[in-house]
Structures are given as C-alpha cells and as structure tokens.
Amino acid sequence: MLTAVSSTLRSRLTRPVLVELFLAGMWLVGIGLVAIGVSGFVAWVMGLIAGKAFVAGDTPGVTYTAARCRDFLEYAPNARTCTEAAAIHHFTEVVWYRVVAGVLGALGLVAWRWVRRRRGPSTLQPQSLVPTVGCVLFGTAAVVLLGQGVDLWWLKPDGGGGASLSGGIVSLAVAAWFAKDVLERITVQPN
C-alpha cells in the first residue's frame, strides 16, 4: 500500500506542480513577512500610547548583570534605570527588526509578482487551497500571539505583552482577509 501511495505521489508531483507549490509558498511567506512589518508599525504605535515597556519590557523575574546594565545604559543614555534602558533597547529591536522583515517581504512579493506575470495564473486546484492554508496559518498565529500577549499583560502590564499583541492583531486581520477570500471562492452562486 505504501509503495502505491508513493508512486501515485511521484506521478502527481510533476515539475509544474512543484513550481506552483513553490510559488504559493513564496506568496504566503511574502504576505507573512509584510504582516510582520506591519506589526512593527503597530508595536511602535503601542509604544507611543502605552509606553515602550508595554511592548518590550521584561517579564517578571528577569534580572541583568551589572555589565549588561552598563550596556543597556550605553544604548539608552537618557534612561533612569537598567530596566528602562533594557525596555528602550528591546523596543527598538522589536520595531526595526519587524520593519526590515516587512521590507524583505515586500521585495519577495515583487519577485513573486514578476514570476507570476511570466508564468500566467496559478494552476493549483482547488483555487481555495492557498487562501485556506493562509487562513489556518495566520488564524493559528493570531490565537497564539493574542493569548501570549494577554497572558503577559495579565502578569505584568509593562512586561512586554504589547510585542505579542501587535503581532496577534495583525495576524488576525490577515486571517480574516484570507477567510473572506476562501468564503468568496467556495460560496455557490445561484443559477
């Protein structure tokens, strides 16, 4: 039985199918990286509203050595405490690393678009496959990130829950966008 499944799989996974699967993955990764970039902007706004510690503060029980505190105070010379300097430093990383990921995602989507124009429309069947995968992936990410963010916020309001919450909010929006696409594709139109 396993041999029959293996030979059937090999006969169906032709080069054009593998290329289409690769392009579908490239599109999903591009969307994911752009979403990460958007979450960097959301985290930045949260930092302006609720403070940098809300986005990137340390969870309860985190301590730093004197040497590490000196490093943080060097990065954030206007900070009054080691904890504040660490939050400022981590906030910058949370925002800018995400923005860089978003730029890479946008470049990946430009490359995907260029290849897609040359190849023509996707031949993957059913057409709802990729949006369904996107909906499930981003929906799962939203549940995990929002849950983690609420948990961190509950433990310590300035303990970094905003980093997860910003990612969860954007993941939820992308999941909803994919869900709308799935519903449009599978809805039966009356004759």
Side-chain angles (χ1 to χ4, degrees), residues 67-103:
R68 190 65 179 140
C69 280
R70 281 191 300 276
D71 290 340
F72 286 138
L73 290 167
E74 184 180 314
Y75 302 141
N78 295 331
R80 295 179 304 259
T81 65
C82 179
T83 303
E84 183 182 354
I88 292 168
H89 173 68
H90 295 144
F91 176 78
T92 303
E93 289 177 340
V94 165
V95 171
W96 286 109
Y97 289 175
R98 290 180 185 193
V99 169
V100 169
V103 169

Short mmCIF file of all heavy atoms in Angstrom, two decimals, residues 67-103:
data_model
loop_
_atom_site.label_atom_id
_atom_site.label_comp_id
_atom_site.label_asym_id
_atom_site.label_seq_id
_atom_site.Cartn_x
_atom_site.Cartn_y
_atom_site.Cartn_z
N ALA A 67 27.28 44.33 34.21
CA ALA A 67 27.88 44.59 32.90
C ALA A 67 26.80 44.78 31.83
O ALA A 67 26.90 45.67 30.98
CB ALA A 67 28.81 43.44 32.51
N ARG A 68 25.77 43.94 31.88
CA ARG A 68 24.69 44.06 30.89
C ARG A 68 23.92 45.37 31.10
O ARG A 68 23.51 46.00 30.14
CB ARG A 68 23.74 42.85 30.99
CG ARG A 68 22.76 42.78 29.86
CD ARG A 68 23.46 42.54 28.53
NE ARG A 68 22.47 42.46 27.47
CZ ARG A 68 22.62 42.99 26.26
NH1 ARG A 68 23.74 43.60 25.95
NH2 ARG A 68 21.68 42.89 25.37
N CYS A 69 23.72 45.76 32.35
CA CYS A 69 23.06 47.05 32.63
C CYS A 69 23.87 48.20 32.05
O CYS A 69 23.30 49.15 31.49
CB CYS A 69 22.87 47.24 34.13
SG CYS A 69 21.45 46.35 34.78
N ARG A 70 25.20 48.14 32.19
CA ARG A 70 26.04 49.19 31.61
C ARG A 70 25.84 49.25 30.09
O ARG A 70 25.77 50.33 29.51
CB ARG A 70 27.51 48.97 31.96
CG ARG A 70 27.88 49.41 33.37
CD ARG A 70 29.39 49.42 33.59
NE ARG A 70 30.01 48.12 33.41
CZ ARG A 70 30.08 47.15 34.35
NH1 ARG A 70 29.56 47.37 35.55
NH2 ARG A 70 30.67 46.01 34.10
N ASP A 71 25.74 48.06 29.46
CA ASP A 71 25.50 48.03 28.01
C ASP A 71 24.18 48.71 27.67
O ASP A 71 24.12 49.54 26.76
CB ASP A 71 25.46 46.58 27.49
CG ASP A 71 26.81 45.90 27.51
OD1 ASP A 71 27.84 46.62 27.55
OD2 ASP A 71 26.83 44.66 27.48
N PHE A 72 23.12 48.35 28.39
CA PHE A 72 21.81 48.94 28.12
C PHE A 72 21.83 50.45 28.33
O PHE A 72 21.25 51.20 27.54
CB PHE A 72 20.71 48.32 28.99
CG PHE A 72 20.32 46.93 28.58
CD1 PHE A 72 20.10 45.95 29.53
CD2 PHE A 72 20.13 46.59 27.25
CE1 PHE A 72 19.71 44.68 29.16
CE2 PHE A 72 19.75 45.32 26.86
CZ PHE A 72 19.53 44.36 27.82
N LEU A 73 22.48 50.90 29.40
CA LEU A 73 22.54 52.33 29.67
C LEU A 73 23.38 53.06 28.63
O LEU A 73 23.14 54.24 28.35
CB LEU A 73 23.07 52.57 31.08
CG LEU A 73 22.10 52.16 32.19
CD1 LEU A 73 22.79 52.13 33.55
CD2 LEU A 73 20.90 53.10 32.22
N GLU A 74 24.32 52.35 28.02
CA GLU A 74 25.08 52.95 26.91
C GLU A 74 24.18 53.10 25.68
O GLU A 74 24.26 54.10 24.97
CB GLU A 74 26.27 52.04 26.58
CG GLU A 74 27.19 52.61 25.51
CD GLU A 74 28.36 51.68 25.23
OE1 GLU A 74 28.98 51.19 26.20
OE2 GLU A 74 28.64 51.44 24.04
N TYR A 75 23.32 52.11 25.42
CA TYR A 75 22.40 52.17 24.28
C TYR A 75 21.32 53.23 24.49
O TYR A 75 20.86 53.83 23.53
CB TYR A 75 21.69 50.83 24.06
CG TYR A 75 22.60 49.66 23.81
CD1 TYR A 75 22.31 48.42 24.36
CD2 TYR A 75 23.75 49.77 23.04
CE1 TYR A 75 23.14 47.33 24.14
CE2 TYR A 75 24.58 48.69 22.82
CZ TYR A 75 24.27 47.47 23.37
OH TYR A 75 25.08 46.39 23.15
N ALA A 76 20.90 53.41 25.73
CA ALA A 76 19.83 54.36 26.06
C ALA A 76 20.31 55.28 27.17
O ALA A 76 19.93 55.14 28.33
CB ALA A 76 18.58 53.60 26.48
N PRO A 77 21.17 56.27 26.84
CA PRO A 77 21.79 57.10 27.87
C PRO A 77 20.81 57.96 28.66
O PRO A 77 21.13 58.39 29.76
CB PRO A 77 22.78 57.98 27.09
CG PRO A 77 22.36 57.90 25.66
CD PRO A 77 21.60 56.62 25.50
N ASN A 78 19.61 58.21 28.13
CA ASN A 78 18.64 59.03 28.86
C ASN A 78 17.79 58.22 29.83
O ASN A 78 16.98 58.79 30.56
CB ASN A 78 17.72 59.77 27.88
CG ASN A 78 18.50 60.78 27.05
OD1 ASN A 78 19.51 61.31 27.50
ND2 ASN A 78 18.05 61.02 25.83
N ALA A 79 17.95 56.91 29.85
CA ALA A 79 17.17 56.06 30.75
C ALA A 79 17.62 56.28 32.19
O ALA A 79 18.80 56.52 32.47
CB ALA A 79 17.33 54.60 30.37
N ARG A 80 16.65 56.19 33.10
CA ARG A 80 16.95 56.41 34.52
C ARG A 80 17.36 55.12 35.23
O ARG A 80 18.03 55.17 36.25
CB ARG A 80 15.73 57.01 35.21
CG ARG A 80 15.38 58.41 34.70
CD ARG A 80 14.15 58.97 35.38
NE ARG A 80 13.01 58.09 35.22
CZ ARG A 80 12.02 58.25 34.35
NH1 ARG A 80 12.02 59.28 33.54
NH2 ARG A 80 11.02 57.40 34.28
N THR A 81 16.91 53.95 34.72
CA THR A 81 17.21 52.68 35.37
C THR A 81 17.65 51.67 34.32
O THR A 81 17.44 51.85 33.11
CB THR A 81 15.97 52.11 36.08
OG1 THR A 81 14.98 51.79 35.10
CG2 THR A 81 15.42 53.09 37.11
N CYS A 82 18.21 50.59 34.78
CA CYS A 82 18.60 49.50 33.90
C CYS A 82 17.36 48.90 33.21
O CYS A 82 17.39 48.62 32.01
CB CYS A 82 19.32 48.42 34.71
SG CYS A 82 19.84 46.99 33.72
N THR A 83 16.29 48.75 33.95
CA THR A 83 15.05 48.19 33.39
C THR A 83 14.50 49.08 32.28
O THR A 83 14.09 48.58 31.23
CB THR A 83 14.00 48.02 34.51
OG1 THR A 83 14.55 47.20 35.53
CG2 THR A 83 12.73 47.40 34.00
N GLU A 84 14.52 50.37 32.50
CA GLU A 84 14.04 51.30 31.48
C GLU A 84 14.94 51.26 30.25
O GLU A 84 14.46 51.27 29.11
CB GLU A 84 13.98 52.72 32.05
CG GLU A 84 13.43 53.74 31.07
CD GLU A 84 13.42 55.16 31.64
OE1 GLU A 84 13.73 55.37 32.84
OE2 GLU A 84 13.10 56.07 30.85
N ALA A 85 16.25 51.21 30.46
CA ALA A 85 17.20 51.15 29.34
C ALA A 85 17.00 49.85 28.55
O ALA A 85 17.05 49.87 27.31
CB ALA A 85 18.62 51.25 29.85
N ALA A 86 16.76 48.75 29.23
CA ALA A 86 16.53 47.48 28.55
C ALA A 86 15.26 47.54 27.71
O ALA A 86 15.23 47.08 26.57
CB ALA A 86 16.44 46.34 29.57
N ALA A 87 14.21 48.14 28.26
CA ALA A 87 12.95 48.26 27.52
C ALA A 87 13.13 49.13 26.28
O ALA A 87 12.62 48.79 25.21
CB ALA A 87 11.86 48.83 28.42
N ILE A 88 13.86 50.21 26.40
CA ILE A 88 14.10 51.08 25.25
C ILE A 88 14.89 50.33 24.18
O ILE A 88 14.55 50.37 22.99
CB ILE A 88 14.84 52.37 25.68
CG1 ILE A 88 13.93 53.24 26.54
CG2 ILE A 88 15.38 53.14 24.48
CD1 ILE A 88 14.64 54.38 27.25
N HIS A 89 15.94 49.64 24.60
CA HIS A 89 16.76 48.88 23.66
C HIS A 89 15.93 47.79 22.98
O HIS A 89 15.96 47.65 21.75
CB HIS A 89 17.95 48.26 24.40
CG HIS A 89 18.75 47.32 23.57
ND1 HIS A 89 19.50 47.74 22.50
CD2 HIS A 89 18.90 45.98 23.63
CE1 HIS A 89 20.08 46.70 21.94
NE2 HIS A 89 19.73 45.62 22.61
N HIS A 90 15.18 47.03 23.75
CA HIS A 90 14.37 45.94 23.18
C HIS A 90 13.25 46.49 22.30
O HIS A 90 12.90 45.88 21.28
CB HIS A 90 13.80 45.06 24.28
CG HIS A 90 14.87 44.34 25.05
ND1 HIS A 90 14.78 44.11 26.40
CD2 HIS A 90 16.05 43.79 24.67
CE1 HIS A 90 15.85 43.47 26.81
NE2 HIS A 90 16.64 43.27 25.78
N PHE A 91 12.68 47.62 22.66
CA PHE A 91 11.62 48.23 21.86
C PHE A 91 12.15 48.56 20.46
O PHE A 91 11.50 48.29 19.45
CB PHE A 91 11.12 49.51 22.54
CG PHE A 91 10.09 50.26 21.75
CD1 PHE A 91 8.78 49.83 21.71
CD2 PHE A 91 10.45 51.39 21.02
CE1 PHE A 91 7.82 50.52 20.97
CE2 PHE A 91 9.51 52.08 20.28
CZ PHE A 91 8.18 51.64 20.26
N THR A 92 13.33 49.14 20.41
CA THR A 92 13.94 49.46 19.12
C THR A 92 14.12 48.21 18.28
O THR A 92 13.83 48.19 17.08
CB THR A 92 15.30 50.18 19.33
OG1 THR A 92 15.08 51.34 20.13
CG2 THR A 92 15.94 50.56 18.02
N GLU A 93 14.57 47.13 18.91
CA GLU A 93 14.75 45.87 18.18
C GLU A 93 13.41 45.32 17.69
O GLU A 93 13.29 44.88 16.55
CB GLU A 93 15.44 44.84 19.07
CG GLU A 93 16.90 45.14 19.32
CD GLU A 93 17.54 44.13 20.25
OE1 GLU A 93 16.82 43.44 21.01
OE2 GLU A 93 18.78 44.04 20.23
N VAL A 94 12.41 45.32 18.56
CA VAL A 94 11.09 44.79 18.18
C VAL A 94 10.57 45.53 16.96
O VAL A 94 10.12 44.92 15.99
CB VAL A 94 10.08 44.90 19.36
CG1 VAL A 94 8.65 44.69 18.87
CG2 VAL A 94 10.42 43.90 20.45
N VAL A 95 10.64 46.83 16.99
CA VAL A 95 10.08 47.63 15.89
C VAL A 95 10.91 47.48 14.63
O VAL A 95 10.40 47.11 13.56
CB VAL A 95 9.95 49.12 16.30
CG1 VAL A 95 9.60 49.98 15.11
CG2 VAL A 95 8.92 49.27 17.41
N TRP A 96 12.21 47.73 14.70
CA TRP A 96 13.02 47.80 13.48
C TRP A 96 13.28 46.44 12.86
O TRP A 96 13.34 46.33 11.62
CB TRP A 96 14.30 48.58 13.73
CG TRP A 96 13.95 50.02 13.82
CD1 TRP A 96 13.96 50.81 14.95
CD2 TRP A 96 13.46 50.86 12.77
NE1 TRP A 96 13.51 52.07 14.66
CE2 TRP A 96 13.20 52.14 13.32
CE3 TRP A 96 13.21 50.65 11.42
CZ2 TRP A 96 12.72 53.19 12.57
CZ3 TRP A 96 12.73 51.72 10.67
CH2 TRP A 96 12.49 52.96 11.24
N TYR A 97 13.45 45.38 13.64
CA TYR A 97 13.63 44.06 13.04
C TYR A 97 12.37 43.66 12.28
O TYR A 97 12.43 43.06 11.21
CB TYR A 97 13.94 43.00 14.10
CG TYR A 97 15.33 43.11 14.71
CD1 TYR A 97 15.70 42.28 15.75
CD2 TYR A 97 16.27 44.04 14.25
CE1 TYR A 97 16.97 42.35 16.31
CE2 TYR A 97 17.52 44.12 14.82
CZ TYR A 97 17.87 43.27 15.84
OH TYR A 97 19.12 43.35 16.39
N ARG A 98 11.21 44.01 12.81
CA ARG A 98 9.96 43.70 12.12
C ARG A 98 9.82 44.52 10.84
O ARG A 98 9.37 44.01 9.82
CB ARG A 98 8.77 43.94 13.05
CG ARG A 98 8.69 42.94 14.17
CD ARG A 98 7.50 43.21 15.05
NE ARG A 98 7.45 42.34 16.20
CZ ARG A 98 6.39 42.20 16.97
NH1 ARG A 98 5.29 42.92 16.73
NH2 ARG A 98 6.41 41.40 18.01
N VAL A 99 10.19 45.79 10.90
CA VAL A 99 10.11 46.62 9.71
C VAL A 99 11.03 46.08 8.61
O VAL A 99 10.64 46.01 7.44
CB VAL A 99 10.45 48.10 10.04
CG1 VAL A 99 10.64 48.93 8.79
CG2 VAL A 99 9.35 48.69 10.92
N VAL A 100 12.22 45.65 8.98
CA VAL A 100 13.14 45.06 7.99
C VAL A 100 12.53 43.80 7.39
O VAL A 100 12.59 43.58 6.18
CB VAL A 100 14.52 44.77 8.64
CG1 VAL A 100 15.38 43.91 7.73
CG2 VAL A 100 15.23 46.08 8.96
N ALA A 101 11.90 42.97 8.22
CA ALA A 101 11.22 41.77 7.70
C ALA A 101 10.13 42.16 6.72
O ALA A 101 9.95 41.51 5.68
CB ALA A 101 10.63 40.96 8.86
N GLY A 102 9.40 43.23 7.01
CA GLY A 102 8.35 43.70 6.12
C GLY A 102 8.90 44.15 4.78
O GLY A 102 8.32 43.86 3.72
N VAL A 103 10.03 44.84 4.79
CA VAL A 103 10.66 45.28 3.54
C VAL A 103 11.10 44.06 2.73
O VAL A 103 10.89 44.00 1.51
CB VAL A 103 11.84 46.23 3.82
CG1 VAL A 103 12.66 46.49 2.57
CG2 VAL A 103 11.34 47.54 4.42
#
